[in-house]
Amino acid sequence: MRVSEPVDNVPAQAVESVHTSPETLTTALAAAALLAACGGGGGGGTTAPSGTGPGPASPSAPAGASFTAATTDEEAARFLLQAQFSASDAEIAAVRNKSYATWLAEQFAAPPSTSGFDWLNQRGYGTINSSTNFYDNSYPGDYMLWSQLMTSSDAVRKRMALALSEFFVVSLSGLDFAWRSHAIASWWDMLNAHVTGNFRNLLQDVTLHPAMGYYLNTKGNLKENVATGRAPDENYAREVMQLFTVGVHQLNNDGTEKRDANGNKLETYTQSDITNLARVFTGWDFDQTQNVNTFEPVNRRNIPNTVYTRIPMRLTANNHSTLASNFLGATVAAGTDGVAALKIALDTLFNHPNVGPFFGKQMIQRLVTSNPSPAYVNRVANAFNNNGAGVRGDLMAVFTAVLLDDEARGPAGLTQAGFGKLREPIVRMVQWGRTFGIRSARGSWKMGDLSNPANQLGQSPQRSPSVFNFFRPGYVPPSTALSASQSPAPEFQIVNESSVGGYLNYMQGVIRNGIFVNAPDLPQSASNATNGYDITAAYTAELALVLDTTALVKRLGLLLCAGQLSAATQGLIVAALNATPVTAASTDTIKLNRVAAAVLLVMASSEYLIQK
């Protein structure tokens, strides 16, 4: 009897067939050489504060912007690859037919696609069954996330949500309670909903979400007990300041660090601030009031329903500290109600002058460039501070400012050595799928945790190894040209010899064959389907160009890297492809081999890996 299980159990003969193909071996070696060029480079709710309501009806280009519309396909593709994951022929045409701001406004206004939570239930992952134990497994969460990223119609919202997920970090690998996959789905859905919302409301939902409550110990956090010496857990109090709002050092509005008369950096908060703020985050726990338990007889356990994973944590007043709290210049008086205390704390954090530049700079890093100029950061921080209608924290205004800024849209960055960013593996994978018509024949989307750097991507959505994300915003690759100038390149923190080889080998097989899936029909058991390559790409337009390698490579250069593939690199790839003859009479297998080789070579080139 087959059971539903994580993907990636590929049969040995399938792997062997990939690695022993002469053409594939040739292209893999060429790809490795190209890649080397890159090496240097209810009690749970509170009332939202006034002044944080919706912003303008639609985004608009920054005042004085010089580059408001695409004049070439390359400019349109460049914009699309920053705003979402991929650039299709139709999307390039749509962007060219209107201004950037108009196209972006349409995307923000588009209705959201099926939620991750609903997708899990539609696929049957809410079933209580001792043979599958979905309530104790995290792999359905992986399937859900990949499905969302690969197929959702609201790609811009998904790209922004992925950026938010790497700022407000909860990792599926760190959740260990019933229905953890539903909890991460609820978390993901929350981030998606707030892409066009307000930072203050997002901060509140982040704080009270059960996934965050478990991940950073707010769940069940108890007030002090003098008799036993117990003190409130300080984990969330520390990280909500360090990572989610104000950062470690005081900032100017342009993101540069403030310093005293002796040139020393000024700390944003102290240990006393952490200790006092921690009192606010006591007394909160999962809201179990809507639980409906089902007795599971094999393991003799009561399994709750999934509702509690998607509603805010609930305050138990007796567990909340009533001591006075003083932090960041704010005071919570002794005896203040827990809900009121939380409002004071979140309002204080939200209104701190560091938040705009701290958050804004990291959104620029995720979407556009690792080293934005202070002027760019200042403009984005200004959009956070005031969206033009007197509203602070309007996230749609922030994302619009990031994407439509002249520094993002202008051509100077294309030739500027310090401009751009390394494409992170998740983004590469999703771009491949969306660009080439990926589909799951059985609707399984069983793409599991791809975090292993030795033989997979080395990264997987919502699978950060810690609350500090996959990479730190200030990471500078050692022993590189960047280290001399102390220029951050965050994504390089997950790049090493193992991850480079793992990426090439993994994508070599996936691009050519697709993704092998065990029991693609489960959990519904609708068709008794056999194991196989359920998730594959179509390459329809690319196969039509298979006899014209120059045209094929040019097309891939446009769609994958916005026309930034140099003539020299295109020549190398064309020569490698032509080394294995393909004619109109060649088999479909040989033609597919050529297309797959071309895609692999482009996705291994430094001009693709560095997004400008």
Side-chain angles (χ1 to χ4, degrees):
M1 176 180 176
R2 294 178 294 125
V3 296
S4 183
E5 60 186 34
V7 74
D8 299 325
N9 294 323
V10 183
Q13 62 270 25
V15 176
E16 183 179 356
S17 69
V18 171
H19 288 282
T20 55
S21 165
E23 183 182 25
T24 306
L25 278 173
T26 301
T27 56
L29 291 172
L34 288 171
L35 184 59
C38 188
T46 62
T47 302
S50 60
T52 61
S58 62
S60 58
S66 301
F67 307 97
T68 58
T71 59
T72 66
D73 287 353
E74 289 76 13
E75 289 177 354
R78 185 188 186 204
F79 169 69
L80 286 163
L81 295 180
Q82 292 170 345
Q84 51 180 31
F85 299 100
S86 60
S88 68
D89 295 323
E91 287 168 331
I92 289 172
V95 169
R96 292 202 60 182
N97 284 333
K98 59 196 70 174
S99 69
Y100 293 128
T102 299
W103 184 89
L104 192 58
E106 291 173 354
Q107 307 313 305
F108 283 138
S113 55
T114 301
S115 71
F117 199 94
D118 288 344
W119 186 89
L120 285 174
N121 289 335
Q122 290 169 5
R123 283 291 298 170
Y125 289 114
T127 303
I128 297 176
N129 188 304
S130 60
S131 67
T132 54
N133 294 334
F134 294 136
Y135 41 82
D136 281 342
N137 280 296
S138 59
Y139 62 81
D142 294 311
Y143 304 162
M144 175 277 301
L145 287 162
W146 285 118
S147 172
Q148 288 269 299
L149 292 170
M150 289 289 190
T151 69
S152 295
S153 57
D154 51 345
V156 169
R157 185 177 294 272
K158 294 298 180 286
R159 183 65 187 94
M160 305 303 115
L162 184 64
L164 290 175
S165 77
E166 295 182 355
F167 183 86
F168 296 104
V169 176
V170 165
S171 176
L172 186 54
S173 302
L175 303 184
D176 188 15
F177 55 90
W179 301 116
R180 64 205 66 169
S181 288
H182 280 73
I184 206 67
S186 169
W187 173 265
W188 172 249
D189 294 341
M190 175 200 64
L191 296 178
N192 275 271
H194 280 291
V195 164
T196 51
N198 191 279
F199 187 94
R200 170 59 177 83
N201 301 332
L202 172 58
L203 180 61
Q204 178 171 303
D205 283 355
V206 162
T207 300
L208 295 181
H209 197 281
M212 179 60 79
Y214 183 92
Y215 193 58
L216 290 186
N217 309 121
T218 308
K219 172 199 168 334
N221 190 13
L222 301 176
K223 65 183 179 181
E224 65 285 331
N225 186 317
V226 177
T228 64
R230 183 184 68 218
D233 188 286
E234 297 180 349
N235 202 11
Y236 187 72
R238 178 182 299 103
E239 306 307 354
V240 74
M241 291 191 289
Q242 179 182 356
L243 301 178
F244 303 159
T245 53
V246 301
V248 175
H249 297 112
Q250 294 181 37
L251 302 174
N252 296 304
N253 200 59
D254 64 4
T256 57
E257 294 169 329
K258 294 182 177 180
R259 297 179 184 267
D260 63 19
N262 297 318
N264 300 312
K265 298 176 183 178
L266 302 175
E267 293 185 347
T268 310
Y269 58 88
T270 66
Q271 179 58 45
S272 176
D273 292 313
I274 297 171
T275 299
N276 278 261
L277 184 57
R279 295 170 188 160
V280 173
F281 301 121
T282 57
W284 299 94
D285 210 330
F286 290 166
D287 185 349
Q288 308 278 12
T289 58
Q290 298 182 44
N291 278 10
V292 176
N293 292 326
T294 298
F295 183 71
E296 195 280 292
V298 176
N299 296 308
R300 303 187 63 78
R301 291 170 54 191
N302 276 320
I303 307 299
N305 57 349
T306 61
V307 173
Y308 80 96
T309 66
R310 70 188 309 186
I311 56 179
M313 291 191 295
R314 184 181 180 87
L315 180 70
T316 301
N318 290 339
N319 293 333
H320 178 72
S321 175
T322 57
L323 295 181
S325 299
N326 299 284
F327 47 86
L328 300 178
T331 297
V332 175
T336 301
D337 170 75
V339 172
L342 182 70
K343 183 180 186 304
I344 293 171
L346 298 185
D347 284 351
T348 300
L349 292 169
F350 171 64
N351 287 298
H352 193 284
N354 262 31
V355 181
F358 183 72
F359 173 73
K361 183 175 182 179
Q362 290 191 53
M363 293 303 99
I364 297 171
Q365 287 183 311
R366 296 287 64 75
L367 300 173
V368 178
T369 181
S370 297
N371 289 282
S373 70
Y376 188 3
V377 175
N378 185 65
R379 291 188 290 269
V380 172
N382 284 340
F384 181 96
N385 298 337
N386 185 337
N387 68 350
V391 177
R392 177 179 175 83
D394 178 359
L395 292 175
M396 186 166 63
V398 172
F399 288 126
T400 299
V402 169
L403 292 169
L404 301 190
D405 193 89
D406 275 359
E407 199 163 321
R409 300 275 54 82
L414 296 174
T415 54
Q416 183 179 330
F419 188 85
K421 59 187 285 291
L422 178 69
R423 279 185 170 91
E424 56 190 290
I426 292 171
V427 173
R428 297 176 220 163
M429 185 71 174
V430 177
Q431 183 185 15
W432 167 76
R434 282 186 171 269
T435 300
F436 301 114
I438 192 176
R439 64 185 290 267
S440 173
R442 303 285 179 180
S444 74
W445 292 106
K446 289 188 176 182
M447 297 174 61
D449 178 3
L450 301 180
S451 299
N452 190 325
N455 55 24
Q456 295 173 322
L457 289 181
Q459 191 190 27
S460 208
Q462 301 276 199
R463 286 283 190 176
S464 169
S466 76
V467 73
F468 296 101
N469 193 28
F470 304 99
F471 31 75
R472 300 301 304 274
Y475 176 78
V476 178
S479 304
T480 66
L482 294 171
S483 61
S485 60
Q486 285 299 290
S487 300
E491 290 84 355
F492 272 96
Q493 193 168 0
I494 57 174
V495 175
N496 53 48
E497 292 85 351
S498 178
S499 68
V500 169
Y503 165 70
L504 286 172
N505 287 331
Y506 181 72
M507 292 306 296
Q508 174 180 293
V510 166
I511 290 169
R512 172 58 180 82
N513 298 321
I515 296 171
F516 189 89
V517 170
N518 288 319
D521 56 319
L522 292 177
Q524 291 97 330
S525 299
S527 61
N528 198 34
T530 57
N531 301 343
Y533 288 95
D534 175 68
I535 302 172
T536 55
Y539 301 121
T540 303
E542 291 68 39
L543 286 168
L545 298 174
V546 71
L547 301 183
D548 186 346
T549 51
T550 299
L552 173 61
V553 173
K554 184 177 181 179
R555 172 179 173 78
L556 296 178
L558 173 65
L559 299 187
L560 292 175
C561 43
Q564 295 166 28
L565 211 58
S566 69
T569 300
Q570 290 184 57
L572 284 172
I573 296 175
V574 168
L577 298 176
N578 288 338
T580 302
V582 177
T583 68
S586 296
T587 65
D588 290 344
T589 297
I590 290 175
K591 292 176 180 177
L592 179 57
N593 284 345
R594 170 171 280 188
V595 169
V599 173
L600 175 64
L601 286 167
V602 173
M603 293 187 72
S605 70
S606 59
E607 293 152 354
Y608 166 75
L609 292 168
I610 302 300
Q611 179 178 359
K612 286 182 174 286

